[in-house]
Amino acid sequence: MKKITVLGGGIAGVEAAIYLRKEKFDVTLISNREYVYIYPISIWIPTGEKTLEDVSLSLIKLGDRHGFQVIFDEVVNIQAKENKVLLKNKGEYTNYDYLVLALGASKLKPSGGENTLTVCGDPEQAVMLKNRLEALVQRGQGKIAIGFGGNPKDPSAVRGGPAFEVLFNIHHFLHKKQLTNNFQLTFFAPMENPGARMGDSVVDEMNKMFKTLGVETRFGKKITQFVPDGVVFEDGSKLDSDLTMYISAGTGHNALKDSDLPLSNAGFVKIDDYCQVEGMDNVYAIGDTAALSGPEWKAKQGHVAEVMARNTAHNISTREAGGHDFIGYEKHLSILCVMDTGNGAVYIQRDDVHAKMTLMPLYGHWLKKSWGIYYKLSKMGKIPRLPGM
Ligand SMILES: Cc1cc2nc3c(=O)[nH]c(=O)nc-3n(C[C@H](O)[C@H](O)[C@H](O)COP(=O)(O)OP(=O)(O)OC[C@H]3O[C@@H](n4cnc5c(N)ncnc54)[C@H](O)[C@@H]3O)c2cc1C
C-alpha cells in the first residue's frame, strides 16, 4: 500500500486525508495544531456566540474515525526532490511515496501589526478580540476599527469577507446591548471599493448597509502603520481606535521559502489543474498553500480547498491504477459565500456567469450556523455527506 503524507491539518488537509483513506492508501497527517480549526465559523468568537472548542475538531478523533495516523510537529522545510521534510522536533521525515502540501498561507506583516488582532490567524487572537471587546463594553463606550489589506502580488490571497462579517456581528452585538450610540465603528481598507471581487452589486449593498448602520468608512488610502491607538494612513491622517481588527492578506507559507518547490511571486506553490506540483512527480498542493490559476476574481476559499483535496485523492488513485481520468479544480472556481451579518446573511455567488447577491434574513444566519454543525458531524461520519460538500 502506497504511503501518503499530508502536511497540514486544516480544511484541505483533513479532507485529503479522509478521501485518501477512502482510496485505501496508508495516510499520515502532520499538523502543528491538535485540531482542525473551522475558520468560517470562528467569526462568532469575538462576540461570544462560539467558543474555541465549538470551532475545533480533534485530529486524533478524525484519524481514529477514518484510519489515518497523526503526527503533531511543525514543518520547517521541504526538500521535495530528495523526498525529505524537515520537522521542528522529529527532524528529517522521509517516510512517504507521495506528499500532499496543505499548510495554508502565512500573512503579510504590516508595520505595527502587533497593535492589531485578527480572526484569520492564530485561533487565540479571536479569543483576545472577544476579551478586548468585552472590556470596552464594560467601559461603556469606545472606537472600533475593522479592516483588511491587499496583496498586489496575488489578489486571490486577500481575505475581506470575514472583516465584513465581524463588523456586522459586532454592530449587532452592541445593538442588542443598546450600546450602538456609545461606539464608533469604522471599516477601513486601502482599496477604493473593498469587496469589488465579489461583484459591483455587493459593493453597493455593503455601502448601503454601512450607511444604514451608521458605520463610518475609510477607503482608498494606503495604511502606513498601526499604532496602539489607531491606524495611520499615507496622507498622514489617523483613524483613532481602541480596538483594531485587521486582516492582512495571505502570502506563501514561511516553511516553503527555502524549499525546492516552484513558487509564484507571492510564494504560493505552483500546480497544474490536477493539483500536481509543477516539475515534481510525487508532490501535490491544495487549498490556501497553492497558487490558483483562473479568472481574476478567483479567491482562496474553503470549498475550493475541499474540491482540490478530493480531486487529489482521486488523481493519485487514478494514477496508481494506470488511468488518465484526472479531475481538475479550475472549473470549480467560484466564490460562494454566506456572509453573516449577525441577524441574517448575504449569499454571494461569483463565477463566469454570475456576480450576484441575495439577502437572506434571519434564516441565513442559522444556515451558516447549521453548516458548522454539519461540518463537524459529517467529517466524523455521524451524518451522511451532502453531494459536493
Ligand atoms: C475567518 C475566516 C472565515 C472564512 N470564511 C469562509 C467561508 O465562509 N467560506 C469559505 O469557503 N471559506 C472561508 N474562509 C477561507 C477558508 O477557511 C480557507 O480557504 C481554508 O481554511 C483553507 O484551508 P487550508 O487547509 O488550505 O488552510 P488552513 O485551514 O489554514 O489550514 C492549514 C493547516 O496547516 C497547519 N499548519 C500551518 N503551518 C504548519 C506547519 N509549519 N507545520 C505543520 N502544520 C502547519 C495549520 O495548523 C492548519 O491546521 C474563511 C477564512 C477565515 C480565516
Side-chain angles (χ1 to χ4, degrees):
M1 201 190 320
K2 286 281 163 78
K3 290 181 179 171
I4 306 191
T5 293
V6 179
L7 302 183
I11 288 182
V14 160
E15 187 78 340
I18 292 172
Y19 272 76
L20 286 163
R21 282 298 300 141
K22 286 186 199 287
E23 300 289 350
K24 307 284 181 236
F25 290 111
D26 176 351
V27 180
T28 301
L29 184 146
I30 300 180
S31 171
N32 61 357
R33 267 186 215 139
E34 293 184 5
Y35 51 86
V36 48
Y37 186 64
I38 311 163
Y39 278 109
I41 55 170
S42 70
I43 49 151
W44 292 301
I45 291 180
T47 46
E49 280 190 69
K50 293 272 178 213
T51 63
L52 206 58
E53 203 190 345
D54 296 331
V55 173
S56 310
L57 184 54
S58 155
L59 289 176
I60 291 289
K61 283 190 185 158
L62 280 165
D64 287 348
R65 175 69 183 81
H66 297 280
F68 58 84
Q69 290 101 56
V70 182
I71 295 176
F72 295 122
D73 209 331
E74 175 140 347
V75 175
V76 287
N77 197 347
I78 299 165
Q79 295 303 319
K81 285 186 189 143
E82 298 168 46
N83 249 39
K84 263 193 322 210
V85 174
L86 185 64
L87 300 177
K88 191 174 173 186
N89 299 317
K90 294 192 175 61
E92 223 168 81
Y93 176 91
T94 56
N95 190 21
Y96 64 86
D97 299 301
Y98 286 94
L99 194 63
V100 178
L101 309 171
L103 291 168
S106 292
K107 294 276 172 221
L108 291 175
K109 293 209 179 318
S111 171
E114 66 280 8
N115 296 306
T116 69
L117 291 169
T118 179
V119 283
C120 294
D122 289 337
E124 293 71 24
Q125 289 218 15
V127 179
M128 286 159 77
L129 263 171
K130 173 179 183 284
N131 296 339
R132 292 273 305 276
L133 181 62
E134 264 172 13
L136 284 180
V137 166
Q138 286 298 319
R139 196 175 85 177
Q141 46 92 15
K143 293 179 175 153
I144 300 173
I146 294 180
F148 68 97
N151 181 349
K153 290 184 183 168
D154 189 344
S156 77
V158 175
R159 183 90 69 216
F164 290 102
E165 291 185 294
V166 172
L167 177 104
F168 292 134
N169 272 274
I170 289 182
H171 184 278
H172 183 61
F173 171 80
L174 295 172
H175 177 73
K176 282 191 294 187
K177 295 186 179 300
Q178 300 183 327
L179 279 173
T180 40
N181 289 340
N182 298 5
F183 279 82
Q184 181 193 306
L185 290 186
T186 307
F187 196 76
F188 66 96
M191 40 302 243
E192 292 287 348
N193 291 308
R197 199 159 35 134
M198 295 183 281
D200 292 342
S201 60
V202 177
V203 174
D204 292 345
E205 195 56 42
M206 291 300 128
N207 285 333
K208 266 192 235 156
M209 283 173 77
F210 290 147
K211 279 210 175 84
T212 310
L213 301 178
V215 172
E216 293 183 17
T217 54
R218 293 267 182 121
F219 297 155
K221 282 184 192 175
K222 282 204 179 109
I223 299 158
T224 312
Q225 65 167 328
F226 293 98
V227 288
D229 61 348
V231 189
V232 181
F233 297 96
E234 60 182 341
D235 60 358
S237 62
K238 183 175 167 226
L239 167 62
D240 289 327
S241 166
D242 300 304
L243 172 58
T244 306
M245 184 186 104
Y246 178 66
I247 301 179
S248 212
T251 182
H253 194 287
N254 288 335
L256 305 177
K257 277 186 188 143
D258 298 322
S259 72
D260 60 355
L261 295 159
L263 302 179
S264 68
N265 281 346
F268 296 106
V269 183
K270 289 187 185 172
I271 55 169
D272 65 16
D273 195 22
Y274 306 128
C275 297
Q276 188 171 357
V277 175
E278 283 181 10
M280 300 275 171
D281 194 43
N282 63 338
V283 190
Y284 289 71
I286 57 176
D288 288 4
T289 280
L292 298 181
S293 300
E296 44 76 40
W297 48 257
K298 63 189 176 292
K300 293 184 187 293
Q301 278 206 291
H303 72 94
V304 176
E306 290 206 323
V307 166
M308 294 171 98
R310 293 193 289 266
N311 288 0
T312 295
H314 168 89
N315 292 343
I316 296 176
S317 173
T318 301
R319 198 176 139 176
E320 283 294 309
H324 298 280
D325 176 23
F326 303 129
I327 312 177
Y329 75 91
E330 284 177 35
K331 64 173 183 242
H332 295 281
L333 279 175
S334 58
I335 299 179
L336 296 176
C337 176
V338 176
M339 188 189 285
D340 189 71
T341 56
N343 56 356
V346 178
Y347 174 68
I348 293 158
Q349 183 183 0
R350 177 82 205 250
D351 53 35
D352 281 336
V353 183
H354 309 95
K356 65 175 187 186
M357 54 162 292
T358 313
L359 290 176
M360 299 199 281
L362 195 56
Y363 75 90
H365 175 72
W366 292 107
L367 186 72
K368 184 148 183 162
K369 285 241 163 98
S370 309
W371 175 83
I373 297 165
Y374 165 79
Y375 181 89
K376 282 185 152 187
L377 292 176
S378 63
K379 292 292 180 262
M380 286 303 293
K382 291 185 177 161
I383 56 169
R385 293 175 66 126
L386 299 170
M389 282 178 83

